[in-house]
mmCIF file of all heavy atoms in Angstrom:
data_model
loop_
_atom_site.group_PDB
_atom_site.id
_atom_site.type_symbol
_atom_site.label_atom_id
_atom_site.label_comp_id
_atom_site.label_asym_id
_atom_site.label_seq_id
_atom_site.Cartn_x
_atom_site.Cartn_y
_atom_site.Cartn_z
ATOM 1 N N ASP A 140 84.869 -51.795 1.588
ATOM 2 C CA ASP A 140 83.849 -52.302 2.477
ATOM 3 C C ASP A 140 83.785 -53.877 2.306
ATOM 4 O O ASP A 140 83.444 -54.535 3.303
ATOM 5 C CB ASP A 140 82.480 -51.695 2.372
ATOM 6 C CG ASP A 140 82.017 -51.502 0.831
ATOM 7 O OD1 ASP A 140 82.583 -52.264 -0.019
ATOM 8 O OD2 ASP A 140 81.207 -50.606 0.707
ATOM 9 N N ASP A 141 84.183 -54.389 1.120
ATOM 10 C CA ASP A 141 84.263 -55.811 0.987
ATOM 11 C C ASP A 141 85.037 -56.589 2.104
ATOM 12 O O ASP A 141 84.781 -57.684 2.434
ATOM 13 C CB ASP A 141 84.835 -56.185 -0.274
ATOM 14 C CG ASP A 141 84.386 -55.428 -1.544
ATOM 15 O OD1 ASP A 141 84.392 -54.074 -1.426
ATOM 16 O OD2 ASP A 141 83.973 -56.014 -2.495
ATOM 17 N N LEU A 184 74.720 -44.431 4.706
ATOM 18 C CA LEU A 184 75.157 -45.449 3.922
ATOM 19 C C LEU A 184 76.697 -45.495 3.871
ATOM 20 O O LEU A 184 77.310 -44.772 4.679
ATOM 21 C CB LEU A 184 74.661 -45.359 2.441
ATOM 22 C CG LEU A 184 73.150 -45.365 2.323
ATOM 23 C CD1 LEU A 184 72.740 -45.032 0.774
ATOM 24 C CD2 LEU A 184 72.534 -46.652 2.738
ATOM 25 N N PHE A 185 77.283 -46.399 3.075
ATOM 26 C CA PHE A 185 78.728 -46.512 2.949
ATOM 27 C C PHE A 185 79.185 -46.357 1.577
ATOM 28 O O PHE A 185 78.572 -46.832 0.637
ATOM 29 C CB PHE A 185 79.187 -47.958 3.476
ATOM 30 C CG PHE A 185 79.047 -48.048 4.924
ATOM 31 C CD1 PHE A 185 77.868 -48.339 5.562
ATOM 32 C CD2 PHE A 185 80.127 -47.802 5.870
ATOM 33 C CE1 PHE A 185 77.692 -48.411 6.983
ATOM 34 C CE2 PHE A 185 79.936 -47.915 7.266
ATOM 35 C CZ PHE A 185 78.746 -48.245 7.855
ATOM 36 N N PHE A 186 80.387 -45.778 1.322
ATOM 37 C CA PHE A 186 80.999 -45.640 0.116
ATOM 38 C C PHE A 186 81.781 -46.924 -0.157
ATOM 39 O O PHE A 186 82.187 -47.624 0.736
ATOM 40 C CB PHE A 186 81.962 -44.449 0.058
ATOM 41 C CG PHE A 186 81.331 -43.129 0.150
ATOM 42 C CD1 PHE A 186 81.653 -42.370 1.326
ATOM 43 C CD2 PHE A 186 80.413 -42.682 -0.716
ATOM 44 C CE1 PHE A 186 80.927 -41.078 1.481
ATOM 45 C CE2 PHE A 186 79.802 -41.443 -0.649
ATOM 46 C CZ PHE A 186 80.111 -40.683 0.338
ATOM 47 N N HIS A 187 81.943 -47.316 -1.417
ATOM 48 C CA HIS A 187 82.659 -48.550 -1.755
ATOM 49 C C HIS A 187 84.063 -48.571 -1.195
ATOM 50 O O HIS A 187 84.571 -49.530 -0.710
ATOM 51 C CB HIS A 187 82.591 -48.748 -3.271
ATOM 52 C CG HIS A 187 83.166 -50.088 -3.713
ATOM 53 N ND1 HIS A 187 83.280 -50.434 -5.075
ATOM 54 C CD2 HIS A 187 83.570 -51.141 -3.034
ATOM 55 C CE1 HIS A 187 83.852 -51.691 -5.189
ATOM 56 N NE2 HIS A 187 83.999 -52.119 -3.945
ATOM 57 N N ARG A 199 82.691 -41.812 -5.089
ATOM 58 C CA ARG A 199 81.565 -41.758 -4.075
ATOM 59 C C ARG A 199 80.436 -42.595 -4.301
ATOM 60 O O ARG A 199 79.272 -42.159 -4.131
ATOM 61 C CB ARG A 199 81.281 -40.167 -3.880
ATOM 62 C CG ARG A 199 82.403 -39.311 -3.487
ATOM 63 C CD ARG A 199 82.036 -37.800 -3.389
ATOM 64 N NE ARG A 199 80.871 -37.567 -2.408
ATOM 65 C CZ ARG A 199 81.036 -37.444 -1.119
ATOM 66 N NH1 ARG A 199 82.327 -37.502 -0.611
ATOM 67 N NH2 ARG A 199 80.055 -37.209 -0.296
ATOM 68 N N ALA A 200 80.729 -43.789 -4.629
ATOM 69 C CA ALA A 200 79.659 -44.757 -5.072
ATOM 70 C C ALA A 200 79.086 -45.366 -3.717
ATOM 71 O O ALA A 200 79.699 -45.991 -2.992
ATOM 72 C CB ALA A 200 80.185 -45.897 -5.868
ATOM 73 N N ARG A 201 77.766 -45.196 -3.628
ATOM 74 C CA ARG A 201 77.066 -45.841 -2.488
ATOM 75 C C ARG A 201 76.551 -47.066 -3.095
ATOM 76 O O ARG A 201 75.353 -47.368 -3.456
ATOM 77 C CB ARG A 201 75.933 -45.015 -1.981
ATOM 78 C CG ARG A 201 76.526 -43.641 -1.435
ATOM 79 C CD ARG A 201 75.367 -42.719 -1.012
ATOM 80 N NE ARG A 201 75.871 -41.466 -0.512
ATOM 81 C CZ ARG A 201 76.047 -40.298 -1.295
ATOM 82 N NH1 ARG A 201 75.771 -40.384 -2.584
ATOM 83 N NH2 ARG A 201 76.569 -39.235 -0.805
ATOM 84 N N TRP A 202 77.516 -48.027 -3.373
ATOM 85 C CA TRP A 202 77.313 -49.330 -4.039
ATOM 86 C C TRP A 202 76.387 -50.229 -3.241
ATOM 87 O O TRP A 202 76.715 -50.567 -2.027
ATOM 88 C CB TRP A 202 78.618 -49.935 -4.520
ATOM 89 C CG TRP A 202 78.647 -51.191 -5.073
ATOM 90 C CD1 TRP A 202 77.825 -51.620 -6.215
ATOM 91 C CD2 TRP A 202 79.544 -52.311 -4.750
ATOM 92 N NE1 TRP A 202 78.163 -52.895 -6.474
ATOM 93 C CE2 TRP A 202 79.204 -53.425 -5.641
ATOM 94 C CE3 TRP A 202 80.462 -52.554 -3.783
ATOM 95 C CZ2 TRP A 202 79.853 -54.634 -5.616
ATOM 96 C CZ3 TRP A 202 81.151 -53.774 -3.719
ATOM 97 C CH2 TRP A 202 80.850 -54.711 -4.672
ATOM 98 N N ALA A 203 75.386 -50.825 -3.861
ATOM 99 C CA ALA A 203 74.513 -51.679 -3.083
ATOM 100 C C ALA A 203 75.099 -52.855 -2.459
ATOM 101 O O ALA A 203 74.931 -53.163 -1.226
ATOM 102 C CB ALA A 203 73.264 -52.038 -3.972
ATOM 103 N N ARG A 204 75.854 -53.746 -3.303
ATOM 104 C CA ARG A 204 76.374 -54.922 -2.771
ATOM 105 C C ARG A 204 77.426 -54.626 -1.604
ATOM 106 O O ARG A 204 77.561 -55.272 -0.602
ATOM 107 C CB ARG A 204 76.895 -55.879 -3.847
ATOM 108 C CG ARG A 204 77.210 -57.278 -3.272
ATOM 109 C CD ARG A 204 77.413 -58.371 -4.336
ATOM 110 N NE ARG A 204 78.470 -58.059 -5.273
ATOM 111 C CZ ARG A 204 78.323 -57.978 -6.519
ATOM 112 N NH1 ARG A 204 77.010 -58.183 -7.148
ATOM 113 N NH2 ARG A 204 79.336 -57.741 -7.363
ATOM 114 N N GLY A 205 78.170 -53.540 -1.842
ATOM 115 C CA GLY A 205 79.180 -53.136 -0.871
ATOM 116 C C GLY A 205 78.450 -52.729 0.519
ATOM 117 O O GLY A 205 78.854 -53.121 1.535
ATOM 118 N N ASN A 206 77.395 -52.058 0.336
ATOM 119 C CA ASN A 206 76.638 -51.754 1.537
ATOM 120 C C ASN A 206 76.089 -52.942 2.078
ATOM 121 O O ASN A 206 75.966 -53.116 3.418
ATOM 122 C CB ASN A 206 75.463 -50.745 1.125
ATOM 123 C CG ASN A 206 75.930 -49.264 1.302
ATOM 124 O OD1 ASN A 206 75.800 -48.642 2.427
ATOM 125 N ND2 ASN A 206 76.512 -48.682 0.252
ATOM 126 N N ALA A 207 75.658 -53.933 1.330
ATOM 127 C CA ALA A 207 75.122 -55.145 1.897
ATOM 128 C C ALA A 207 76.175 -55.972 2.642
ATOM 129 O O ALA A 207 75.885 -56.620 3.671
ATOM 130 C CB ALA A 207 74.525 -56.064 0.776
ATOM 131 N N TRP A 208 77.467 -55.946 2.171
ATOM 132 C CA TRP A 208 78.504 -56.510 2.918
ATOM 133 C C TRP A 208 78.591 -55.944 4.280
ATOM 134 O O TRP A 208 78.810 -56.743 5.269
ATOM 135 C CB TRP A 208 79.890 -56.466 2.112
ATOM 136 C CG TRP A 208 80.127 -56.977 0.867
ATOM 137 C CD1 TRP A 208 80.667 -56.607 -0.200
ATOM 138 C CD2 TRP A 208 79.728 -58.463 0.455
ATOM 139 N NE1 TRP A 208 80.697 -57.386 -1.347
ATOM 140 C CE2 TRP A 208 80.077 -58.566 -0.909
ATOM 141 C CE3 TRP A 208 79.086 -59.423 1.119
ATOM 142 C CZ2 TRP A 208 79.923 -59.687 -1.630
ATOM 143 C CZ3 TRP A 208 78.813 -60.634 0.415
ATOM 144 C CH2 TRP A 208 79.211 -60.864 -0.811
ATOM 145 N N VAL A 209 78.493 -54.685 4.520
ATOM 146 C CA VAL A 209 78.567 -54.083 5.734
ATOM 147 C C VAL A 209 77.398 -54.470 6.647
ATOM 148 O O VAL A 209 77.553 -54.837 7.756
ATOM 149 C CB VAL A 209 78.679 -52.537 5.648
ATOM 150 C CG1 VAL A 209 78.713 -51.917 7.113
ATOM 151 C CG2 VAL A 209 79.853 -52.117 4.848
ATOM 152 N N SER A 210 76.193 -54.409 6.039
ATOM 153 C CA SER A 210 74.938 -54.685 6.804
ATOM 154 C C SER A 210 74.983 -56.162 7.220
ATOM 155 O O SER A 210 74.317 -56.487 8.235
ATOM 156 C CB SER A 210 73.778 -54.271 6.055
ATOM 157 O OG SER A 210 73.617 -55.123 4.914
ATOM 158 N N ILE A 211 75.586 -57.026 6.404
ATOM 159 C CA ILE A 211 75.549 -58.405 6.783
ATOM 160 C C ILE A 211 76.673 -58.683 7.837
ATOM 161 O O ILE A 211 76.481 -59.362 8.812
ATOM 162 C CB ILE A 211 75.974 -59.328 5.544
ATOM 163 C CG1 ILE A 211 74.724 -59.404 4.626
ATOM 164 C CG2 ILE A 211 76.419 -60.752 5.982
ATOM 165 C CD1 ILE A 211 75.129 -59.873 3.225
ATOM 166 N N GLN A 238 72.007 -47.265 8.781
ATOM 167 C CA GLN A 238 72.121 -47.702 7.460
ATOM 168 C C GLN A 238 70.739 -48.390 6.964
ATOM 169 O O GLN A 238 70.296 -48.095 5.842
ATOM 170 C CB GLN A 238 73.360 -48.785 7.343
ATOM 171 C CG GLN A 238 73.580 -49.140 5.925
ATOM 172 C CD GLN A 238 74.414 -50.531 5.929
ATOM 173 O OE1 GLN A 238 74.279 -51.306 6.771
ATOM 174 N NE2 GLN A 238 75.102 -50.672 4.782
ATOM 175 N N MET A 239 70.319 -49.309 7.739
ATOM 176 C CA MET A 239 69.130 -49.996 7.300
ATOM 177 C C MET A 239 67.904 -49.126 7.280
ATOM 178 O O MET A 239 66.990 -49.430 6.455
ATOM 179 C CB MET A 239 68.859 -51.196 8.304
ATOM 180 C CG MET A 239 69.983 -52.302 8.241
ATOM 181 S SD MET A 239 70.099 -52.960 6.572
ATOM 182 C CE MET A 239 68.554 -53.949 6.372
ATOM 183 N N VAL A 242 68.278 -47.761 3.718
ATOM 184 C CA VAL A 242 67.947 -48.897 2.861
ATOM 185 C C VAL A 242 66.479 -48.979 2.652
ATOM 186 O O VAL A 242 65.995 -49.096 1.609
ATOM 187 C CB VAL A 242 68.598 -50.206 3.220
ATOM 188 C CG1 VAL A 242 68.074 -51.297 2.339
ATOM 189 C CG2 VAL A 242 70.148 -50.080 3.072
ATOM 190 N N LEU A 245 65.095 -46.431 0.471
ATOM 191 C CA LEU A 245 65.472 -46.498 -0.937
ATOM 192 C C LEU A 245 65.031 -47.685 -1.628
ATOM 193 O O LEU A 245 65.025 -47.752 -2.898
ATOM 194 C CB LEU A 245 67.068 -46.355 -0.937
ATOM 195 C CG LEU A 245 67.656 -44.982 -0.526
ATOM 196 C CD1 LEU A 245 69.106 -45.056 -0.544
ATOM 197 C CD2 LEU A 245 67.202 -43.798 -1.327
ATOM 198 N N GLN A 246 64.637 -48.662 -0.864
ATOM 199 C CA GLN A 246 64.102 -49.878 -1.429
ATOM 200 C C GLN A 246 62.847 -49.642 -2.346
ATOM 201 O O GLN A 246 61.973 -48.974 -1.845
ATOM 202 C CB GLN A 246 63.885 -50.942 -0.391
ATOM 203 C CG GLN A 246 63.561 -52.334 -0.845
ATOM 204 C CD GLN A 246 63.382 -53.305 0.369
ATOM 205 O OE1 GLN A 246 62.941 -52.860 1.436
ATOM 206 N NE2 GLN A 246 63.617 -54.574 0.159
ATOM 207 N N GLY A 250 60.494 -54.519 -3.783
ATOM 208 C CA GLY A 250 61.388 -55.100 -2.950
ATOM 209 C C GLY A 250 62.922 -54.945 -3.498
ATOM 210 O O GLY A 250 63.805 -55.279 -2.614
ATOM 211 N N MET A 251 63.194 -54.668 -4.702
ATOM 212 C CA MET A 251 64.522 -54.634 -5.266
ATOM 213 C C MET A 251 65.216 -53.378 -4.761
ATOM 214 O O MET A 251 64.601 -52.224 -4.459
ATOM 215 C CB MET A 251 64.565 -54.645 -6.681
ATOM 216 C CG MET A 251 64.144 -55.983 -7.311
ATOM 217 S SD MET A 251 65.238 -57.425 -6.853
ATOM 218 C CE MET A 251 66.528 -57.038 -8.020
ATOM 219 N N VAL A 252 66.511 -53.271 -4.769
ATOM 220 C CA VAL A 252 67.383 -52.086 -4.584
ATOM 221 C C VAL A 252 68.125 -51.942 -5.939
ATOM 222 O O VAL A 252 68.381 -52.866 -6.676
ATOM 223 C CB VAL A 252 68.330 -52.220 -3.451
ATOM 224 C CG1 VAL A 252 67.592 -52.356 -2.149
ATOM 225 C CG2 VAL A 252 69.409 -53.296 -3.598
ATOM 226 N N HIS A 253 68.652 -50.754 -6.144
ATOM 227 C CA HIS A 253 69.431 -50.393 -7.327
ATOM 228 C C HIS A 253 70.909 -50.684 -7.096
ATOM 229 O O HIS A 253 71.352 -50.635 -6.016
ATOM 230 C CB HIS A 253 69.206 -49.010 -7.797
ATOM 231 C CG HIS A 253 67.793 -48.697 -8.219
ATOM 232 N ND1 HIS A 253 67.432 -48.889 -9.593
ATOM 233 C CD2 HIS A 253 66.705 -48.236 -7.671
ATOM 234 C CE1 HIS A 253 66.102 -48.634 -9.651
ATOM 235 N NE2 HIS A 253 65.581 -48.212 -8.541
ATOM 236 N N THR A 254 71.679 -50.960 -8.178
ATOM 237 C CA THR A 254 73.002 -51.193 -8.078
ATOM 238 C C THR A 254 73.811 -49.991 -7.331
ATOM 239 O O THR A 254 74.628 -50.305 -6.463
ATOM 240 C CB THR A 254 73.701 -51.296 -9.443
ATOM 241 O OG1 THR A 254 73.037 -52.426 -10.125
ATOM 242 C CG2 THR A 254 75.144 -51.390 -9.402
ATOM 243 N N LEU A 255 73.403 -48.795 -7.526
ATOM 244 C CA LEU A 255 73.794 -47.593 -6.723
ATOM 245 C C LEU A 255 72.615 -47.233 -6.065
ATOM 246 O O LEU A 255 71.528 -46.935 -6.557
ATOM 247 C CB LEU A 255 74.247 -46.554 -7.661
ATOM 248 C CG LEU A 255 75.576 -46.616 -8.401
ATOM 249 C CD1 LEU A 255 75.905 -45.476 -9.369
ATOM 250 C CD2 LEU A 255 76.733 -46.910 -7.309
ATOM 251 N N LEU A 256 72.592 -47.394 -4.630
ATOM 252 C CA LEU A 256 71.395 -47.455 -3.827
ATOM 253 C C LEU A 256 70.551 -46.156 -4.099
ATOM 254 O O LEU A 256 69.332 -46.137 -4.048
ATOM 255 C CB LEU A 256 71.849 -47.518 -2.327
ATOM 256 C CG LEU A 256 72.105 -48.998 -1.877
ATOM 257 C CD1 LEU A 256 72.697 -48.945 -0.523
ATOM 258 C CD2 LEU A 256 70.804 -49.765 -1.870
ATOM 259 N N ASP A 257 71.293 -45.036 -4.278
ATOM 260 C CA ASP A 257 70.649 -43.728 -4.345
ATOM 261 C C ASP A 257 70.404 -43.248 -5.739
ATOM 262 O O ASP A 257 70.148 -42.082 -6.053
ATOM 263 C CB ASP A 257 71.373 -42.700 -3.557
ATOM 264 C CG ASP A 257 72.810 -42.563 -3.996
ATOM 265 O OD1 ASP A 257 73.337 -43.512 -4.665
ATOM 266 O OD2 ASP A 257 73.470 -41.546 -3.537
ATOM 267 N N ASP A 258 70.526 -44.164 -6.748
ATOM 268 C CA ASP A 258 70.354 -43.824 -8.128
ATOM 269 C C ASP A 258 69.178 -44.644 -8.748
ATOM 270 O O ASP A 258 69.461 -45.757 -9.338
ATOM 271 C CB ASP A 258 71.688 -44.060 -8.980
ATOM 272 C CG ASP A 258 71.437 -43.626 -10.470
ATOM 273 O OD1 ASP A 258 70.379 -43.158 -10.823
ATOM 274 O OD2 ASP A 258 72.430 -43.921 -11.253
ATOM 275 N N GLY A 261 69.404 -46.277 -12.276
ATOM 276 C CA GLY A 261 70.214 -47.416 -12.629
ATOM 277 C C GLY A 261 69.557 -48.787 -12.496
ATOM 278 O O GLY A 261 68.458 -48.803 -12.162
ATOM 279 N N PRO A 262 70.258 -49.851 -12.798
ATOM 280 C CA PRO A 262 69.591 -51.236 -12.832
ATOM 281 C C PRO A 262 69.467 -51.648 -11.364
ATOM 282 O O PRO A 262 70.090 -51.112 -10.361
ATOM 283 C CB PRO A 262 70.787 -52.050 -13.561
ATOM 284 C CG PRO A 262 71.948 -51.305 -13.317
ATOM 285 C CD PRO A 262 71.706 -49.825 -13.305
ATOM 286 N N VAL A 263 68.534 -52.655 -11.279
ATOM 287 C CA VAL A 263 68.330 -53.259 -9.927
ATOM 288 C C VAL A 263 69.322 -54.410 -9.851
ATOM 289 O O VAL A 263 69.926 -54.891 -10.701
ATOM 290 C CB VAL A 263 66.886 -53.820 -9.930
ATOM 291 C CG1 VAL A 263 65.832 -52.724 -9.854
ATOM 292 C CG2 VAL A 263 66.570 -54.813 -11.012
ATOM 293 N N GLU A 264 69.547 -54.743 -8.562
ATOM 294 C CA GLU A 264 70.539 -55.740 -8.234
ATOM 295 C C GLU A 264 70.054 -56.730 -7.185
ATOM 296 O O GLU A 264 69.743 -56.379 -6.067
ATOM 297 C CB GLU A 264 71.836 -55.065 -7.753
ATOM 298 C CG GLU A 264 73.115 -55.712 -8.075
ATOM 299 C CD GLU A 264 73.370 -57.038 -7.370
ATOM 300 O OE1 GLU A 264 73.043 -56.964 -6.111
ATOM 301 O OE2 GLU A 264 73.857 -57.921 -7.939
ATOM 302 N N ALA A 265 70.019 -58.095 -7.489
ATOM 303 C CA ALA A 265 69.406 -59.112 -6.603
ATOM 304 C C ALA A 265 70.327 -59.468 -5.447
ATOM 305 O O ALA A 265 69.812 -59.866 -4.422
ATOM 306 C CB ALA A 265 68.984 -60.279 -7.488
ATOM 307 N N SER A 266 71.617 -59.622 -5.741
ATOM 308 C CA SER A 266 72.466 -60.175 -4.586
ATOM 309 C C SER A 266 72.404 -59.214 -3.357
ATOM 310 O O SER A 266 72.427 -59.596 -2.194
ATOM 311 C CB SER A 266 73.909 -60.406 -5.082
ATOM 312 O OG SER A 266 74.565 -59.204 -5.355
ATOM 313 N N ALA A 267 72.422 -57.880 -3.677
ATOM 314 C CA ALA A 267 72.327 -56.857 -2.559
ATOM 315 C C ALA A 267 71.043 -56.884 -1.962
ATOM 316 O O ALA A 267 70.839 -56.762 -0.745
ATOM 317 C CB ALA A 267 72.570 -55.409 -3.133
ATOM 318 N N THR A 268 69.928 -57.118 -2.823
ATOM 319 C CA THR A 268 68.605 -57.215 -2.238
ATOM 320 C C THR A 268 68.474 -58.341 -1.232
ATOM 321 O O THR A 268 67.981 -58.212 -0.160
ATOM 322 C CB THR A 268 67.631 -57.349 -3.474
ATOM 323 O OG1 THR A 268 67.679 -56.218 -4.227
ATOM 324 C CG2 THR A 268 66.146 -57.467 -2.856
ATOM 325 N N ALA A 269 69.026 -59.528 -1.652
ATOM 326 C CA ALA A 269 69.104 -60.653 -0.701
ATOM 327 C C ALA A 269 69.964 -60.402 0.487
ATOM 328 O O ALA A 269 69.510 -60.804 1.624
ATOM 329 C CB ALA A 269 69.565 -61.894 -1.504
ATOM 330 N N GLY A 270 71.055 -59.719 0.228
ATOM 331 C CA GLY A 270 71.922 -59.349 1.429
ATOM 332 C C GLY A 270 71.325 -58.463 2.506
ATOM 333 O O GLY A 270 71.322 -58.649 3.635
ATOM 334 N N PHE A 271 70.485 -57.528 1.945
ATOM 335 C CA PHE A 271 69.743 -56.696 2.888
ATOM 336 C C PHE A 271 68.676 -57.388 3.576
ATOM 337 O O PHE A 271 68.294 -57.142 4.816
ATOM 338 C CB PHE A 271 69.201 -55.384 2.128
ATOM 339 C CG PHE A 271 70.286 -54.440 1.744
ATOM 340 C CD1 PHE A 271 70.448 -54.034 0.423
ATOM 341 C CD2 PHE A 271 71.156 -53.935 2.647
ATOM 342 C CE1 PHE A 271 71.349 -53.127 0.105
ATOM 343 C CE2 PHE A 271 72.260 -52.984 2.252
ATOM 344 C CZ PHE A 271 72.274 -52.557 1.036
ATOM 345 N N GLY A 272 67.987 -58.293 2.830
ATOM 346 C CA GLY A 272 66.949 -59.007 3.496
ATOM 347 C C GLY A 272 67.473 -59.972 4.604
ATOM 348 O O GLY A 272 66.911 -59.982 5.667
ATOM 349 N N ALA A 274 70.300 -59.305 6.285
ATOM 350 C CA ALA A 274 70.807 -58.373 7.332
ATOM 351 C C ALA A 274 69.679 -57.913 8.201
ATOM 352 O O ALA A 274 69.906 -57.804 9.509
ATOM 353 C CB ALA A 274 71.492 -57.199 6.678
ATOM 354 N N ASP A 311 69.535 -61.058 -12.181
ATOM 355 C CA ASP A 311 69.901 -59.688 -11.930
ATOM 356 C C ASP A 311 70.956 -59.573 -10.784
ATOM 357 O O ASP A 311 70.948 -58.733 -9.852
ATOM 358 C CB ASP A 311 68.596 -58.870 -11.489
ATOM 359 C CG ASP A 311 67.609 -58.705 -12.614
ATOM 360 O OD1 ASP A 311 68.022 -58.662 -13.670
ATOM 361 O OD2 ASP A 311 66.385 -58.724 -12.276
ATOM 362 N N SER A 313 74.781 -58.680 -10.458
ATOM 363 C CA SER A 313 75.894 -57.986 -11.139
ATOM 364 C C SER A 313 77.136 -58.718 -10.942
ATOM 365 O O SER A 313 77.477 -59.292 -9.860
ATOM 366 C CB SER A 313 75.916 -56.533 -10.754
ATOM 367 O OG SER A 313 76.186 -56.275 -9.320
ATOM 368 N N ASP A 314 77.980 -58.427 -11.879
ATOM 369 C CA ASP A 314 79.336 -59.025 -11.900
ATOM 370 C C ASP A 314 80.227 -58.536 -10.730
ATOM 371 O O ASP A 314 80.028 -57.608 -10.071
ATOM 372 C CB ASP A 314 80.089 -58.698 -13.225
ATOM 373 C CG ASP A 314 81.060 -59.742 -13.629
ATOM 374 O OD1 ASP A 314 81.406 -60.703 -12.805
ATOM 375 O OD2 ASP A 314 81.638 -59.625 -14.856
ATOM 376 N N THR A 316 83.045 -56.684 -8.638
ATOM 377 C CA THR A 316 83.088 -55.324 -8.836
ATOM 378 C C THR A 316 84.362 -54.706 -8.293
ATOM 379 O O THR A 316 84.454 -54.499 -6.993
ATOM 380 C CB THR A 316 81.891 -54.638 -8.289
ATOM 381 O OG1 THR A 316 80.682 -55.162 -8.706
ATOM 382 C CG2 THR A 316 81.830 -53.094 -8.659
ATOM 383 N N LEU A 322 80.489 -43.255 -11.428
ATOM 384 C CA LEU A 322 79.196 -43.890 -11.109
ATOM 385 C C LEU A 322 78.686 -44.724 -12.343
ATOM 386 O O LEU A 322 78.125 -45.799 -12.132
ATOM 387 C CB LEU A 322 78.191 -42.807 -10.709
ATOM 388 C CG LEU A 322 78.485 -41.974 -9.465
ATOM 389 C CD1 LEU A 322 77.433 -41.107 -9.086
ATOM 390 C CD2 LEU A 322 78.789 -42.939 -8.166
ATOM 391 N N TYR A 325 79.625 -48.478 -12.321
ATOM 392 C CA TYR A 325 78.832 -49.428 -11.522
ATOM 393 C C TYR A 325 77.428 -49.675 -12.323
ATOM 394 O O TYR A 325 77.038 -50.860 -12.356
ATOM 395 C CB TYR A 325 78.428 -48.796 -10.203
ATOM 396 C CG TYR A 325 79.702 -48.624 -9.260
ATOM 397 C CD1 TYR A 325 80.425 -47.530 -9.269
ATOM 398 C CD2 TYR A 325 79.981 -49.635 -8.454
ATOM 399 C CE1 TYR A 325 81.571 -47.451 -8.609
ATOM 400 C CE2 TYR A 325 81.171 -49.610 -7.655
ATOM 401 C CZ TYR A 325 81.952 -48.526 -7.732
ATOM 402 O OH TYR A 325 83.169 -48.353 -6.929
ATOM 403 N N ASN A 326 76.994 -48.680 -12.949
ATOM 404 C CA ASN A 326 75.628 -48.956 -13.622
ATOM 405 C C ASN A 326 75.736 -49.815 -14.940
ATOM 406 O O ASN A 326 74.802 -50.323 -15.433
ATOM 407 C CB ASN A 326 74.886 -47.570 -13.903
ATOM 408 C CG ASN A 326 74.193 -47.050 -12.730
ATOM 409 O OD1 ASN A 326 73.859 -47.718 -11.855
ATOM 410 N ND2 ASN A 326 74.035 -45.754 -12.676
ATOM 411 N N LEU A 328 77.731 -52.454 -15.117
ATOM 412 C CA LEU A 328 78.159 -53.775 -14.797
ATOM 413 C C LEU A 328 77.196 -54.855 -15.424
ATOM 414 O O LEU A 328 75.977 -54.620 -15.268
ATOM 415 C CB LEU A 328 78.181 -54.017 -13.270
ATOM 416 C CG LEU A 328 79.245 -53.283 -12.509
ATOM 417 C CD1 LEU A 328 78.960 -53.353 -10.959
ATOM 418 C CD2 LEU A 328 80.606 -53.939 -12.769
ATOM 419 N N LEU A 339 73.982 -65.610 -1.312
ATOM 420 C CA LEU A 339 73.247 -64.570 -0.542
ATOM 421 C C LEU A 339 71.716 -64.894 -0.609
ATOM 422 O O LEU A 339 71.038 -64.633 0.388
ATOM 423 C CB LEU A 339 73.554 -63.181 -1.148
ATOM 424 C CG LEU A 339 75.019 -62.675 -0.794
ATOM 425 C CD1 LEU A 339 75.262 -61.488 -1.622
ATOM 426 C CD2 LEU A 339 75.120 -62.314 0.740
#
Side-chain angles (χ1 to χ4, degrees):
D140 45 23
D141 315 50
L184 300 175
F185 288 82
F186 297 116
H187 187 186
R199 294 179 61 84
R201 299 173 184 95
W202 175 48
R204 191 163 61 237
N206 270 270
W208 293 139
V209 178
S210 66
I211 290 168
Q238 184 200 31
M239 292 300 290
V242 169
L245 296 175
Q246 191 179 25
M251 292 293 285
V252 297
H253 292 274
T254 298
L255 294 173
L256 281 168
D257 55 346
D258 182 4
V263 294
E264 212 290 322
S266 69
T268 299
F271 289 128
D311 292 330
S313 61
D314 204 354
T316 310
L322 297 179
Y325 293 88
N326 282 335
L328 291 165
L339 289 169

